[in-house]
Amino acid sequence: MKAPRMTYERRSVGIKDMASQLGISIGTVSRALNDRPDVNPETRRQVLEAARTMGYVANQSGRSLRSGTTNTIGLIIESGSETATNSDNFFLGLMDGLQSTLSRHQYDLVILPYSFEEDPFAYLRRIVARRLVDGLIITATKRVDPRIDLLTQARIPFAALGRSTTGGSHAWIDLDFEGVVRHGVERLIGKGHRRIAIGLPANDINLGYVCHDTYRAVLEQNGIAFDPGLVIRARPSEQGGYGVGSALIAMTELPTAILLVQDLMALGLYRRLTEHGLVPGRDIAVVGFREMPQTRFLSPHLTSFQLSLRDLGAALAEALLATMKNQGSANRQPAPGRIWPMELIEGESDSRLITR
Amino acid sequence: MKAPRMTYERRSVGIKDMASQLGISIGTVSRALNDRPDVNPETRRQVLEAARTMGYVANQSGRSLRSGTTNTIGLIIESGSETATNSDNFFLGLMDGLQSTLSRHQYDLVILPYSFEEDPFAYLRRIVARRLVDGLIITATKRVDPRIDLLTQARIPFAALGRSTTGGSHAWIDLDFEGVVRHGVERLIGKGHRRIAIGLPANDINLGYVCHDTYRAVLEQNGIAFDPGLVIRARPSEQGGYGVGSALIAMTELPTAILLVQDLMALGLYRRLTEHGLVPGRDIAVVGFREMPQTRFLSPHLTSFQLSLRDLGAALAEALLATMKNQGSANRQPAPGRIWPMELIEGESDSRLITR
DNA sequence: CTGAAAGCGCTTACAG
DNA sequence: CTGAAAGCGCTTACAG
């Protein structure tokens, strides 16, 4: 009543092959391979040698089924959406940092993309139920995000890129939007600007609030009246930045400065200003958000903020690994959230004094 | 001698829970869930209902171990390298097309990133041996690529993005570099250009050959002597394009036109030309390679070639699925290679007549 | 149409 | 230090 071998053609060398080749039991092979202490050094040597020559690597399904772990961490990202298409090199940089840190801890990274047409919650539920991964990094975290409750309940260790009001003690890292807005606005005020506009992405409510509030607070702390007309919301893309440019031009009086809180907007803004005969840095001071390959070539050089995506990825990986270690222990520590600092890089887009 | 449950905390509902809840055997539960024909419709209904309410999804490891398949397709990409950082939205677009086609065939897509510091061959070998996926898409295919032999030997179905001289009958799709060069050069000749430079990526030998040969052939077919001094090799990035600009400027006589066979080069070239007081389209005709978000904003609009990344991803998925179906059947068809056409989009960067 | 049972490839507590 | 054996969660040929 032996079930037929379904995978005959693709059969690769298994632990039994190793054992019979070496004339020892599969248990010993397994122990040697998994660095158990109680193995004769010579036996271990032979096993490792045989694994190398026979090309043996443990079948992950067998291993996972038995041990309950997959040694795999998943990074969940949205594919195909406008945001994703534009966030492009952000994720590739992040992946690199995640990857290098995780592999040092014997974890593999897999990226799990869900289409923007799909329900992110349903997708995540499937991933969780299938037990594909030991831990997860979620991105595009929403202000209210049911995925956080799902993962907490399922007791899957995870770390979130982005703050949320959902949940309470999960690990997260978010970019320092307050810091960017505060630093940017204070810098412009310091250079004598009083009419300072701000360009915000229209898509993410949480980020929008954070930036808006900080912007207003910094102005008022400096005795400048908040003018809601100077808050411009646009899509998080070059196109959005172009729209920000149009909005500026349409104002009865052009602000002397603008701060953008989305990386790609600067491209469209520069283009719109140039089309209109305005020169960034001469006619209006511009401070951008994140320095990236595309903005590095803007002329005049854009003053903006820098972060190491690789380091951010590494920090996310560390946060997740800490959660996983913590999960096992008796007295759980609440996982801390963390604000990721960004460093101002001075360009010439806001260096000149502008008076009107 | 029962092994202790290691995964107590994270235990989720399994097939046994379903069976005991419904008062039937696990075999019947499995059959109902897997759409076997020989199940009482009412039983099936109850099972599906219970799966929904209890949140049951089959554990992938159990399933894989038994069936020998994972229902997962892997896309292998390099993370962290210069190429990857710049290829950015290319992969996100591709993923979207792969994803949507694969999910229609009940496959999940996972992205398997390897660090540029890692040996791609060793990485692939591990993936293969662990039996993580049922099929693979490999990218950044080299002219001579040992990965192809590895996968062929291991009998893992795969499709390659990019041509190779390695292997013979595997599925692959490559962009139509000949077509782009032929079309681009002929177009420029048609507009009266005789001194036409070409900017090629310095990194990929195969692509370099293909483009170089086509460039030369088209020129000679049109009675124009090939001048090796007009072939400029540079890194596949904005920086590289900037260097191409410098090389042009350094020539004793500026060519009247240039064709770039890498998408990002146009950005750097525009910048370098502008810095030097030259206007693309007025002082030198420029034809770019692939239209992408970053080049869409160049002024004057860049004449370049367009492709749908989503469609390309879908085609790669189809090619892989055909291979997988084929693998089982008795008389194997050789999997065909395919050249992916790109469509010229007219801009103003090469519309004006330039005489010197 | 359904149940009982084998077995996929591993890891590991236990006995020696 | 090693072997024999149980069992992780499934799928499926077989018997009824």
Side-chain angles (χ1 to χ4, degrees), chain A residues 9-10 57 60-61 64 84 92 99 108 111 113-115 126 129-131 155 238 271 294 297 332, chain B residues 3 9-10 57 60-61 64 84 92 99 108 111 113-115 126 129-131 155 238 271 294 297:
Chain A
E9 282 199 318
R10 290 173 49 187
V57 178
Q60 190 55 48
S61 298
S64 297
L92 285 161
Q99 160 89 318
D108 279 322
I111 320 299
Y114 62 91
S115 170
R126 259 185 58 233
R130 287 175 53 181
R131 300 274 137 186
R155 295 176 190 271
E238 293 109 326
R271 188 164 69 97
Q294 291 101 302
F297 294 99
R332 298 231 180 111
Chain B
E9 284 201 317
R10 289 173 49 188
V57 178
Q60 190 56 49
S61 298
S64 297
L92 285 161
Q99 160 89 317
D108 278 322
I111 319 300
Y114 63 92
S115 169
R126 259 185 57 234
R130 286 176 54 181
R131 300 273 138 187
R155 296 176 190 271
E238 293 111 325
R271 187 163 70 96
Q294 291 100 303
F297 294 98

Side-chain angles (χ1 to χ4, degrees), chain B residues 29 36 81 85 95 108 141 178 183 190 194 227 236 266 295 314 351:
Chain B
V29 171
R36 301 269 142 192
S81 72
T85 305
M95 274 159 53
D108 278 322
T141 309
E178 289 101 326
H183 195 155
R194 311 286 294 173
D227 176 356
T295 61
S351 57

Side-chain angles (χ1 to χ4, degrees), chain A residues 245-317:
Chain A
S246 297
L248 288 175
I249 289 165
M251 293 182 184
T252 47
E253 188 190 355
L254 188 70
T256 62
I258 181 162
L259 171 66
L260 300 171
V261 198
Q262 200 276 341
D263 40 21
L264 287 158
M265 281 187 180
L267 302 173
L269 175 63
Y270 265 55
R271 188 164 69 97
R272 184 69 187 98
L273 292 175
T274 305
E275 276 182 17
H276 197 70
L278 296 171
V279 177
R282 189 193 70 188
D283 300 309
I284 181 168
V286 180
V287 175
F289 181 59
R290 182 174 70 91
E291 198 222 15
M292 58 189 300
Q294 291 101 302
T295 61
R296 216 164 284 155
F297 294 99
L298 289 174
S299 171
H301 284 303
L302 179 68
T303 293
S304 60
F305 297 82
Q306 201 180 38
L307 83 167
S308 161
L309 292 168
R310 199 173 201 275
D311 291 349
L312 176 59
L316 267 171

Side-chain angles (χ1 to χ4, degrees), chain B residues 261-284:
Chain B
V261 197
Q262 200 276 340
D263 39 22
L264 287 158
M265 282 186 179
L267 301 173
L269 175 63
Y270 264 55
R271 187 163 70 96
R272 185 69 187 98
L273 291 176
T274 305
E275 276 181 18
H276 197 71
L278 295 171
V279 177
R282 188 193 71 188
D283 300 310
I284 182 168

Side-chain angles (χ1 to χ4, degrees), chain A residues 77-88 91 113-117, chain B residues 89-100 309-310:
Chain A
I77 66 175
E78 193 181 359
S79 74
S81 73
E82 183 187 42
T83 319
T85 306
N86 291 329
S87 300
D88 47 30
F91 284 113
Y114 62 91
S115 170
F116 67 108
E117 296 153 344
Chain B
N89 81 331
F90 189 91
F91 284 113
L92 285 161
L94 201 69
M95 274 159 53
D96 191 42
L98 282 166
Q99 160 89 317
S100 68
L309 291 168
R310 200 173 201 275

Side-chain angles (χ1 to χ4, degrees), chain B residues 146-161:
Chain B
R147 296 180 303 171
I148 292 172
D149 288 332
L150 171 65
L151 292 172
T152 307
Q153 257 180 275
R155 296 176 190 271
I156 303 274
F158 71 102
L161 178 62

